Amino acid sequence: MVSYHSLSLSCLPIPTISCFISSKTQLQIGFKSKLFGLGSPKPKRVSLSARAMGSSASSQKPDSIQEAGSIDYKSLSDEEWKKRLTGEQFYITRQKGTERAFTGEYWNTKTHGTYNCICCDTPLFESSTKFDSGTGWPSYYQPIGSNVKSKLDLSIIFMPRQEVLCAVCDAHLGHIFDDGPPPTGKRYCINSASLKLKPKQ
């Protein structure tokens, strides 16, 4: 006796399998099923067979989403960064440059929101931690979680500093000093060009 599962649809071209089965097709399936003693057709099983032959909705995502979630920012070349950033943004974030004091977009901004990395959009600082340092650069006393990291900067031999970097893409943000306000006593001195402010709605 032929079992129900032996009637495989896998030999049919994929385009012919549809989620919608017309009344005429259902009658034909029902007629053939009775000839083989299989009883009445079960549309749900036909639907499951069609899904099994292809990728399920949950196992495959649109290319755009896959690409956005799988970008290894730390491995991008300078040429790729130049396509994504302006000349100033590239100079500061990828070549460790510094913008001139009192010239950056955010040095005196009072807008409430979150300051994200211009390179990878990682949230870096909340406006609630921003303060007027009088230096001409945006200054914050605390970053968001562990999204910011620091390392020793010996580019100026007689003045070693702690460089501030985005923890996700290694973008150069600025430097950190120990002359900030409470509660941390830190001053994250950041280049405006390395940031993108997202105002609170």
Side-chain angles (χ1 to χ4, degrees):
M1 180 176 177
V2 181
S3 68
Y4 177 82
H5 296 287
S6 66
L7 293 178
S8 173
L9 297 178
S10 61
C11 59
L12 296 176
I14 290 177
T16 64
I17 298 174
S18 172
C19 294
F20 174 78
I21 301 178
S22 66
S23 299
K24 181 178 179 181
T25 304
Q26 289 181 14
L27 289 174
Q28 289 175 347
I29 293 175
F31 176 73
K32 291 181 180 179
S33 297
K34 286 182 180 179
L35 287 178
F36 287 102
L38 300 177
S40 60
K42 297 181 179 180
K44 287 185 178 179
R45 294 203 178 190
V46 172
S47 174
L48 290 173
S49 296
R51 173 170 291 188
M53 290 165 57
S55 299
S56 66
S58 61
S59 66
Q60 188 173 16
K61 297 179 181 179
D63 290 343
S64 59
I65 295 178
Q66 288 182 338
E67 289 177 4
S70 62
I71 294 177
D72 182 3
Y73 290 102
K74 293 181 181 180
S75 69
L76 293 182
S77 66
D78 282 350
E79 291 306 312
E80 289 173 304
W81 280 120
K82 286 179 181 179
K83 294 176 183 177
R84 293 169 174 263
L85 305 169
T86 66
E88 183 184 29
Q89 291 167 349
F90 177 79
Y91 166 66
I92 288 172
T93 62
R94 312 320 307 183
Q95 297 184 315
K96 304 183 185 300
T98 301
E99 63 196 12
R100 288 184 294 115
F102 303 101
T103 64
E105 182 179 1
Y106 302 126
W107 76 270
N108 198 33
T109 300
K110 304 289 194 297
T111 305
H112 293 287
T114 303
Y115 291 85
N116 290 10
C117 176
I118 195 67
C119 295
C120 66
D121 205 33
T122 298
L124 302 175
F125 301 96
E126 293 288 355
S127 60
S128 58
T129 66
K130 190 172 187 286
F131 66 96
D132 184 4
S133 63
T135 61
W137 286 282
S139 299
Y140 311 84
Y141 62 77
Q142 180 177 292
I144 296 176
S146 58
N147 293 351
V148 168
K149 64 181 181 180
S150 65
K151 70 175 185 179
L152 185 61
D153 177 7
L154 296 174
S155 58
I156 302 178
I157 298 176
F158 59 85
M159 190 176 71
R161 300 172 294 173
Q162 284 293 318
E163 179 188 5
V164 179
L165 305 160
C166 171
V168 174
C169 70
D170 281 345
H172 171 75
L173 306 175
H175 292 86
I176 182 174
F177 303 95
D178 294 321
D179 56 4
T184 65
K186 301 292 183 181
R187 172 170 60 92
Y188 289 82
C189 188
I190 309 299
N191 292 285
S192 291
S194 67
L195 303 172
K196 175 170 55 178
L197 172 60
K198 292 193 173 181
K200 285 185 178 179
Q201 300 298 325

